Amino acid sequence: MGLHRVVEPAGVLPQAAWRLDADPRIASNEVRIRVERLNLDAASFRQLSDKHGGDGEKVRAEVLEIISTRGKMQNPVTGSGGMLIGTVEEAGKRSPLGLKQGDRVATLVSLTLTPLMILDGLSRWDGRSEQVPCDGYAILFARSIAAVLPADLHPELSLAVLDVCGAPALTARVVAEQVDRRRRGGDARPVRVAVIGGAGKSGSLSLAAARRAGAARTVGVVPVTGERDALVAAGLADEVALADARDPVGLSTAVTTALGAPADVTVVCVDVPGCEHGAILATEDGGTVIFFSMATSFAAAALGAEGLAADVTMLVGNGYAPGHADLALELLRAEPGVRRLFEARLAAD
Amino acid sequence: MGLHRVVEPAGVLPQAAWRLDADPRIASNEVRIRVERLNLDAASFRQLSDKHGGDGEKVRAEVLEIISTRGKMQNPVTGSGGMLIGTVEEAGKRSPLGLKQGDRVATLVSLTLTPLMILDGLSRWDGRSEQVPCDGYAILFARSIAAVLPADLHPELSLAVLDVCGAPALTARVVAEQVDRRRRGGDARPVRVAVIGGAGKSGSLSLAAARRAGAARTVGVVPVTGERDALVAAGLADEVALADARDPVGLSTAVTTALGAPADVTVVCVDVPGCEHGAILATEDGGTVIFFSMATSFAAAALGAEGLAADVTMLVGNGYAPGHADLALELLRAEPGVRRLFEARLAAD
């Protein structure tokens, strides 16, 4: 778990640590990666960019400062990190990850717990995109997870998919359970799914996963007409609705209108604060809300459901599930609509 | 939902609002309560007390300032509130709550969304306890929930139970589902439950609820020997273990040792930050963690599970479930151990 890399405070796990030891010399169960690119978490990049009014130079300086101070990339405000790609430079003899020198990999654990050292001052990054080309080192622990990048996909495309691969995995599981529960109970009602932020990375994959898991009716909610048109063209949702996710009444009205009833499963994939109440209001009694956004406030969700007397199950989106990387890459390959959305997003970056 | 009471920012629900309108004149679907006592959320009181080094006078002044500025009691740091008891002074003709003038009630929705005005400057409160005697007004909306206080229990005892009644309700549901799933799958393994903070209010009720829902083996984890002795005497758990919940390895070792395996369901009831990783580590793959503490960090939970490659379901503790008040009061009446812990806690306040 990398406890020996924790500098302060003592005793916590690397993700909770203020500072990690990013010494490039590895222990026998560790792996050192030569990093070529970081992919900052969307909530983190947005916070930094907003703070500096979009001044890329200042964003770059702050990211460098965070990494050199903390020994890892963890935004102190959002608490979130991101992921990286690179090449295995040295694998310890006792590492259980099955990686060998020269493998090109993406890390599936967060940057918030990955010791990291930057060697080029991020000189090739303009501070205006979540994608950060760089040169540096990172360390993987025995319990870290990394995926060897598939040969049939562009590395940036794989990275973008792997970054959010926990979302379709958990969505598929929750929808399948709901379908199964209805079937067992002799309940013929269709399972309805709403994905808030349906045109984004985790959103489009979650829509595809929900349909495949047996959702009878799906809606993707987006904030602007450009995303609406793109999601309609992608054909991933039965309905596409326009709404501001921060407006609780507007959001729940849009979902209920599109589905003909509140959603049985609502998946929140938008990286802006304040979407908890709308998601709860948009969900049927007995239904489930899955929060994937790192901008989610635990207290707003807990107290919001209580304040609305809403009998909904609320899940913290876990970035890990067995087989999550393979499922997400498979969805990308099988669903042209997903692939088009991802490629358009990468082209715009 | 009380949207008309939101002063700023416009369009959000009352819980998310910075400021509410606490005008004592009610709309036809509202109810005005004459408040006699507030019960501050434990995380909120702890934050205020720590901030002011235990100086009750300063704590009192800050609570007064929060209520007069915001029109509600919502700690700006923790985001949490608490609840209140009082007497119905006026019930609007169209209120669906079924309350009438003179009913002595406890609110089951959070103070964070309840318009509140204090009339006595909190002069009877010393700022050293979560229980705040006071005189003032509060407003209930159509969708608020309030319970008429039972005649057979002391009001303070009822209030303390109702304050946390969402915890045993959700614990019972999750444990029963796990038991049912094992039975359907022909899996004979016993369902194991760990309650972190098992001697506290929500913790002791959750232990009793878990056992009643079919948990075969339970452990209550507590931080100090005084609580250990009290919980052993209460007889609510099969095992009682001492551990600091902020120490991930220590906590998971204590749980696994006591239960003979990691927990299938882990319930977090301690109001201190930094318990997410220990709870995740203490939980079996395929198991569930329920976070009831308002000190829970969404990002720490989400990224912690990912970083540990832990296949656990993580639930945001919803303060509402149908029948939650009756279930909790029934547990108090039926379980002498629960009652003793509650009465000892009230006596110590």
Side-chain angles (χ1 to χ4, degrees), chain A residues 1 3 11-16 74 78-82 108-113 143-145 163 170 173 177 180-181 184 246-249 277-278 281 285-286 291-322, chain B residues 1 3 11-16 74 78-82 108-113 143-145 163 170 173 177 180-181 184 246-249 277-278 281 285-286 291-322:
Chain A
M1 296 180 289
L3 291 173
V12 302
L13 298 184
Q15 197 256 316
Q74 181 173 27
T78 64
S80 57
L108 301 187
V109 292
S110 172
L111 289 178
T112 60
L113 53 91
R143 207 168 160 167
S144 300
I145 303 184
D163 181 33
L170 185 54
R173 182 189 288 188
E177 281 174 358
D180 187 48
R181 191 176 306 132
R184 284 202 316 274
R246 296 164 299 183
D247 170 5
V249 175
H277 293 172
L281 268 183
D285 259 22
F291 291 106
F292 281 112
S293 164
M294 283 299 153
T296 303
S297 155
F298 182 89
L303 296 173
E306 180 185 300
L308 293 163
D311 180 22
V312 295
T313 298
M314 295 182 287
L315 297 181
V316 177
N318 181 347
Y320 175 75
Chain B
M1 296 180 289
L3 291 173
V12 301
L13 299 183
Q15 197 256 316
Q74 180 172 26
T78 63
S80 58
L108 301 187
V109 291
S110 171
L111 289 178
T112 60
L113 54 91
R143 207 168 161 168
S144 300
I145 303 185
D163 181 33
L170 185 54
R173 182 188 289 187
E177 281 174 357
D180 187 47
R181 192 175 306 132
R184 284 202 316 273
R246 296 164 300 184
D247 170 5
V249 175
H277 293 172
L281 269 184
D285 259 23
F291 291 106
F292 280 111
S293 165
M294 282 300 152
T296 304
S297 155
F298 183 89
L303 296 173
E306 180 185 299
L308 293 164
D311 179 22
V312 295
T313 298
M314 295 182 287
L315 297 181
V316 177
N318 181 347
Y320 174 75

Side-chain angles (χ1 to χ4, degrees), chain B residues 61-316:
Chain B
E62 181 162 356
V63 170
L64 254 184
E65 167 71 18
I66 290 170
I67 297 171
S68 65
T69 305
R70 304 195 65 175
K72 61 176 178 176
M73 179 55 212
Q74 180 172 26
N75 182 317
V77 175
T78 63
S80 58
M83 52 191 302
L84 62 84
I85 57 176
T87 303
V88 174
E89 204 168 54
E90 186 184 356
K93 281 181 185 150
R94 291 174 44 237
S95 166
L97 301 181
L99 300 176
K100 59 182 192 304
Q101 199 186 340
D103 279 347
R104 193 136 180 247
V105 298
T107 58
L108 301 187
V109 291
S110 171
L111 289 178
T112 60
L113 54 91
T114 304
L116 178 66
M117 197 183 287
I118 298 296
L119 301 173
D120 67 350
L122 302 180
S123 57
R124 287 178 291 140
W125 183 45
D126 63 6
R128 294 170 182 277
S129 149
E130 297 161 19
Q131 302 268 342
V132 184
C134 66
D135 185 28
Y137 295 105
I139 308 295
L140 299 183
F141 309 130
R143 207 168 161 168
S144 300
I145 303 185
V148 176
L149 292 168
D152 64 324
L153 297 172
H154 191 285
E156 283 189 31
L157 186 58
S158 295
L159 185 62
V161 171
L162 293 170
D163 181 33
V164 295
C165 65
L170 185 54
T171 299
R173 182 188 289 187
V174 170
V175 171
E177 281 174 357
Q178 186 77 284
V179 169
D180 187 47
R181 192 175 306 132
R182 291 248 162 112
R183 193 175 294 145
R184 284 202 316 273
D187 182 342
R189 285 179 299 157
V191 170
R192 297 174 169 94
V193 177
V195 177
I196 319 304
K201 293 194 299 180
S202 55
S204 58
L205 283 166
S206 295
L207 278 169
R211 186 178 273 175
R212 191 176 284 202
R217 195 161 178 80
T218 61
V219 60
V221 181
V222 295
V224 293
T225 54
E227 290 197 12
R228 181 188 63 191
D229 298 345
L231 186 54
V232 167
L236 295 173
D238 298 318
E239 300 285 337
V240 178
L242 263 182
D244 180 342
R246 296 164 300 184
D247 170 5
V249 175
L251 179 64
S252 63
T253 303
V255 167
T256 304
T257 303
L259 295 176
D264 298 299
V265 179
T266 301
V267 186
V268 181
C269 295
V270 283
D271 279 313
V272 293
C275 303
E276 300 86 357
H277 293 172
I280 291 165
L281 269 184
T283 305
E284 187 77 87
D285 259 23
T288 299
V289 182
I290 315 176
F291 291 106
F292 280 111
S293 165
M294 282 300 152
T296 304
S297 155
F298 183 89
L303 296 173
E306 180 185 299
L308 293 164
D311 179 22
V312 295
T313 298
M314 295 182 287
L315 297 181
V316 177

Side-chain angles (χ1 to χ4, degrees), chain A residues 102-127:
Chain A
D103 279 347
R104 192 136 180 247
V105 298
T107 58
L108 301 187
V109 292
S110 172
L111 289 178
T112 60
L113 53 91
T114 303
L116 178 66
M117 196 182 287
I118 298 296
L119 301 172
D120 67 350
L122 301 179
S123 58
R124 287 178 291 140
W125 183 44
D126 62 7

